[in-house]
């Protein structure tokens, strides 16, 4: 009898535990759904559209919006419970970013070895369409201090008083001379908002909207222009890296000692996807990983991917273009990057001299400065692009292309594998091939025309639409005995689609995915043949 009673009580206990476990699972599932809905609703509520009104002076809204453009979500709890249920899957373009970052590192090395020229601008160039101000709301400064106080405490001992912080807001809100001869264009409303900490050798970008992106946005609503035509409308200074450097030189007594580049409250979705993936992978959650967060060597895959993100490229270009004006040892390519999050707001810090002790006090302004040869004032990267020869700009692009090839052959980055067999030409292409004889050798003439229905890279059937500008075309001659290829004509499917759709054309990635056959590059067609 006692044994039966014990068995019955044991069964009762098991039933109670089972019911408790089921209730707990239901509660967790409900909490996940609520968190998902709340996250989406809050993002929609907090999305801020930047001002587009032109003005000859800085609008009041610029000062009010300092650091608040496209704010990330502020959670009531510092931990976003929803992130506990997310998987740490890399973004689809992660491998490509790693490769691009490796190419940036090769270009940085080439710049410091003197094989590519640097550039420099006088401060007066900011008078060409740009307005500079330092008006910042105290609440915005306090919000930035909350996010970065742990960083400054760890690196420098304390967060500096506001009197030692130099805000610089640059707005491209006036008419300006373009690189075209005798051409004046409308304001682009580009912005570069930053906080600069001279004593700590740190420059922080808070909000940035490039002139190139503003012109592209405007171009979508007006007559379509090619990229070269849009580039010709840029102001002389248009890159964020140039604006950061110029702003830094106006507030720092020793600008050559810049060591840290920070990005605050990152809003770009591509950059956020990479940071979120790394935080989830290495810390288990993404929205409350305070300083020091996680850090990576610049030569690691993680460092390369972060360098190639939209918010990391300004660091790369600043080193490529202005490293010759800086006093540090980048020749060994020593970089370190830190990423962290504060209440769902992502931040990034680049240390340009990680082998040296961190600065914990003000540097002696009377320390002897190392002298470096400064190049003559040059804007060669921006001028003469409207149908004229620009040797230096072309040389720089050639150097970057060479570095990319070198990185691929050295195995520095994993390239996209694109293998095709001749049957790929049956997907939308008409191939005409003929062999002819030359003295002592044979050559083959091949004409490829894209003029039939096809299946895109997503496996979806696409009806061919003959464009007004003609067919995509690859025409070339192959001479096997001489290991030579002679190219006669090329018009890529991507080019044809962009010409046909004009200002309504989507991104190159979307065109490659949906509107052209998988075999669409000249390089792939040439290699496969």
């Amino acid at each position: 009898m006692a044994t039966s009673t014990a068995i019955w009580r044991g069964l009762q206990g098991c039933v109670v535990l089972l019911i408790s476990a089921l209730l707990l699972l239901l509660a967790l599932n409900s909490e996940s759904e609520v968190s998902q809905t709340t996250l989406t609703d809050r993002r929609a509520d907090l999305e801020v559209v930047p001002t587009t009104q032109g003005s000859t002076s800085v609008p009041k809204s610029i000062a009010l919006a300092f650091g608040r453009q496209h704010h990330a979500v502020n959670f009531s709890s510092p931990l976003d419970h929803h992130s506990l249920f997310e998987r740490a899957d890399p973004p689809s373009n992660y491998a490509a970013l790693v490769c691009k970052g490796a190419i940036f590192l090769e270009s940085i090395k080439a710049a410091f070895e003197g094989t590519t020229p640097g550039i420099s601008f006088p401060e007066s160039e900011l008078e060409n369409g740009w307005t500079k101000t330092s008006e910042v709301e105290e609440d915005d400064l306090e919000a930035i201090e909350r996010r970065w106080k742990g960083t400054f405490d760890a690196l420098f001992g304390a967060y500096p008083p506001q009197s030692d912080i130099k805000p610089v807001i640059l707005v491209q809100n006036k008419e300006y001379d373009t690189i075209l001869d005798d051409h004046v264009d409308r304001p682009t409303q580009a912005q570069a908002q930053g906080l600069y900490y001279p004593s700590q050798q740190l420059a922080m970008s808070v909000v940035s909207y490039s002139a190139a992106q503003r012109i592209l946005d405007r171009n979508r609503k007006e007559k379509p222009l090619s990229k070269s035509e849009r580039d010709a409308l840029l102001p002389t200074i248009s890159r964020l890296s140039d604006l950061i450097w110029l702003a830094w030189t106006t507030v720092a007594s020793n600008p050559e000692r810049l060591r840290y580049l920070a990005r605050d409250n990152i809003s770009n979705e591509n950059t956020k996807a990479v940071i979120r993936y790394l935080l989830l992978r290495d810390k288990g959650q993404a929205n409350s990983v305070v300083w020091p967060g996680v850090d990576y060597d610049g030569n690691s895959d993680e460092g390369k991917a972060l360098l190639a993100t939209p918010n990391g490229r300004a660091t790369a270009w600043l080193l490529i273009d202005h490293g010759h004006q800086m006093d540090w040892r980048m020749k060994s390519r020593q970089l370190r990057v830190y990423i962290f999050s504060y209440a769902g707001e992502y931040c990034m810090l680049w240390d340009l001299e990680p082998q040296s002790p961190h600065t914990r006090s003000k540097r002696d302004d009377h320390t002897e400065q190392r002298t470096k040869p400064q190049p003559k004032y040059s804007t060669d990267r921006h001028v003469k692009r409207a149908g004229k020869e620009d040797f230096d700009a072309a040389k720089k692009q050639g150097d970057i292309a060479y570095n990319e090839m070198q990185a691929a052959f050295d195995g520095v980055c994993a390239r996209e594998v694109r293998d095709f067999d001749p049957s790929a030409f049956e997907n939308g292409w008409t191939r005409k091939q003929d062999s002819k004889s030359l003295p002592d050798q044979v050559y083959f003439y091949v004409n490829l025309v894209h003029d039939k229905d096809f299946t895109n890279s997503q496996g979806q059937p696409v009806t061919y639409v003959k464009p007004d500008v003609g067919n995509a075309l690859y025409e070339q001659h192959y001479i096997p005995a001489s290991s030579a290829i002679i190219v006669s004509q090329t018009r890529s499917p991507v080019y044809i689609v962009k010409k046909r759709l004009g200002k309504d054309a989507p991104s190159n990635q979307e065109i490659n995915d949906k509107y052209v056959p998988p075999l669409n590059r000249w390089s792939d067609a040439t290699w496969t043949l």
Side-chain angles (χ1 to χ4, degrees):
M1 184 67 179
T3 302
S4 300
T5 303
I7 292 174
W8 173 246
R9 288 178 178 174
L11 288 173
Q12 283 181 318
C14 290
V15 171
V16 170
L17 287 174
L18 181 60
I19 293 174
S20 300
L22 288 172
L23 289 174
L24 178 60
L25 287 174
L26 287 173
L28 286 174
N29 185 57
S30 174
E31 182 178 349
S32 175
E33 292 177 357
V34 170
S35 180
Q36 173 71 37
T37 305
T38 304
L39 180 65
T40 304
D41 292 345
R42 286 180 179 175
R43 280 181 178 151
D45 292 341
L46 291 173
E47 189 72 7
V48 179
V49 178
T51 178
T52 58
Q53 289 184 332
S55 172
T56 56
S57 61
V58 177
K60 184 177 180 181
S61 59
I62 297 297
L64 293 176
F66 187 89
R68 297 181 184 175
Q69 306 286 0
H70 298 283
H71 239 299
V73 179
N74 285 313
F75 299 97
S76 56
S77 167
L79 174 64
D80 173 15
H81 297 284
H82 178 68
S83 67
L84 295 175
F85 300 93
E86 292 191 80
R87 295 170 52 188
D89 295 326
S92 59
N93 65 338
Y94 186 76
L97 288 173
V98 172
C99 184
K100 185 65 175 177
I103 296 163
F104 270 131
L105 287 176
E106 291 294 324
S107 299
I108 292 169
K109 179 182 178 182
F112 276 84
E113 289 175 347
T115 57
T116 55
I119 63 172
S120 61
F121 301 98
E123 185 185 348
S124 59
E125 276 298 310
L126 288 176
E127 297 173 6
N128 186 23
W130 293 90
T131 297
K132 183 172 74 170
T133 184
S134 58
E135 300 175 14
V136 181
E137 291 293 311
E138 189 168 332
D139 289 347
D140 299 322
L141 291 175
E142 291 174 354
I144 293 171
E145 180 178 351
R146 283 195 297 272
R147 287 190 287 272
W148 287 90
K149 189 177 187 307
T151 305
F152 279 77
D153 287 348
L155 297 182
F156 314 113
Y159 194 83
Q162 289 190 8
S163 58
D164 290 347
I165 303 172
K166 310 299 182 184
V168 178
I169 305 171
L170 297 169
V171 184
Q172 210 282 307
N173 61 352
K174 297 184 292 190
E175 288 186 345
Y176 61 95
D177 295 325
T178 72
I179 62 174
L180 288 170
D181 293 335
D182 302 321
H183 183 81
V184 176
D185 206 5
R186 295 165 288 166
T188 65
Q189 295 300 326
Q191 294 183 36
Q193 302 181 10
L195 291 183
Y196 297 88
Y197 304 76
S199 298
Q200 288 74 26
Q201 304 167 291
L202 187 148
M204 180 186 296
S205 175
V206 180
V207 171
S208 63
Y209 297 112
S210 72
Q213 185 61 45
R214 292 297 202 195
I215 290 175
L216 178 60
D217 293 341
R218 187 175 73 196
N219 181 54
R220 290 194 180 105
K221 302 175 183 178
E222 301 176 2
K223 65 177 183 178
L225 300 173
S226 67
K227 185 179 185 303
S228 61
E229 290 172 327
R230 294 197 305 270
D231 286 348
L233 296 178
L234 289 171
T236 308
I237 299 179
S238 59
R239 276 187 181 162
L240 176 63
S241 56
D242 296 333
L243 293 167
I244 290 175
W245 179 252
L246 267 180
W248 172 253
T249 59
T250 64
V251 300
S253 57
N254 296 305
E256 71 280 356
R257 294 177 181 171
L258 177 63
R259 174 171 174 177
Y260 301 97
L261 289 170
R263 299 304 299 265
D264 175 62
N265 193 11
I266 292 170
S267 63
N268 182 277
E269 293 299 330
N270 293 325
T271 306
K272 288 168 66 175
V274 175
I275 294 177
R276 191 172 187 86
Y277 158 63
L278 294 174
L279 292 178
L280 281 169
R281 188 195 70 179
D282 295 343
K283 289 294 185 179
Q285 58 103 3
N287 287 316
S288 185
V289 185
V290 296
W291 180 267
V294 290
D295 60 287
Y296 307 100
D297 184 274
N299 287 299
S300 66
D301 283 355
E302 296 86 351
K304 293 171 186 174
L306 290 165
L307 187 65
T309 60
N311 293 87
R313 291 172 199 162
T315 298
W317 281 114
L318 191 145
L319 301 182
I320 293 170
D321 288 338
H322 301 285
H324 64 277
Q325 298 170 277
M326 300 169 65
D327 185 19
W328 50 285
R329 294 167 286 283
M330 188 54 207
K331 286 187 178 180
S332 60
R333 290 189 293 176
Q334 294 296 313
L335 283 173
R336 194 151 202 91
V337 58
Y338 299 79
I339 53 174
F340 62 96
S341 61
Y342 179 90
E345 298 168 336
Y346 299 143
C347 301
M348 181 190 301
L349 177 74
W350 289 92
D351 185 352
L352 311 181
E353 201 176 349
Q355 302 304 316
S356 300
H358 296 291
T359 304
R360 291 187 176 275
S361 61
K362 292 186 178 182
R363 292 283 186 102
D364 181 4
D365 289 339
H366 301 289
T367 302
E368 181 181 356
Q369 299 182 24
R370 300 175 191 151
T371 59
K372 291 193 174 187
Q374 299 297 318
K376 294 181 180 179
Y377 165 57
S378 169
T379 58
D380 286 346
R381 191 186 67 202
H382 301 275
V383 300
K384 301 179 182 177
R385 280 186 285 183
K388 301 178 183 178
E389 184 70 13
D390 184 357
F391 180 81
D392 284 347
K395 181 179 183 300
K396 177 171 286 190
Q397 292 303 315
D399 288 333
I400 293 172
Y402 177 83
N403 292 333
E404 184 167 354
M405 290 189 293
Q406 190 65 49
F409 278 103
D410 290 346
V412 172
C413 55
R415 303 295 297 175
E416 176 188 9
V417 177
R418 295 173 62 84
D419 290 329
F420 299 94
D421 59 49
S423 64
F425 294 118
E426 298 173 5
N427 188 20
W429 294 91
T430 296
R431 176 169 54 163
K432 297 178 182 179
Q433 184 168 322
D434 189 18
S435 62
K436 297 183 180 181
S437 296
L438 292 174
D440 300 326
Q441 58 185 348
V442 176
Y443 81 92
F444 297 89
Y445 164 81
V446 181
N447 180 266
L448 296 170
V449 181
H450 182 240
D451 59 356
K452 296 185 296 189
D453 293 354
F454 60 93
T455 301
N456 63 23
S457 61
Q458 308 295 315
Q460 302 164 336
V462 179
T463 300
Y464 175 80
V465 178
K466 185 174 181 179
D468 296 335
V469 292
N471 297 297
L473 174 70
Y474 296 132
E475 181 180 354
Q476 46 217 352
H477 303 263
Y478 296 78
I479 310 176
S482 302
S483 301
I485 300 172
I486 301 173
V487 180
S488 300
Q489 296 185 67
T490 62
R491 286 197 300 268
S492 74
V494 174
Y495 167 82
I496 294 297
V497 170
K498 292 176 77 171
K499 281 291 186 181
R500 184 173 73 226
L501 298 181
K503 66 180 181 180
D504 297 323
S507 65
N508 282 358
Q509 183 62 51
E510 188 174 352
I511 290 176
N512 275 295
D513 289 343
K514 297 181 180 179
Y515 297 96
V516 296
L519 180 63
N520 60 70
R521 295 178 184 172
W522 171 83
S523 55
D524 292 332
T526 301
W527 178 256
T528 304
L529 284 169

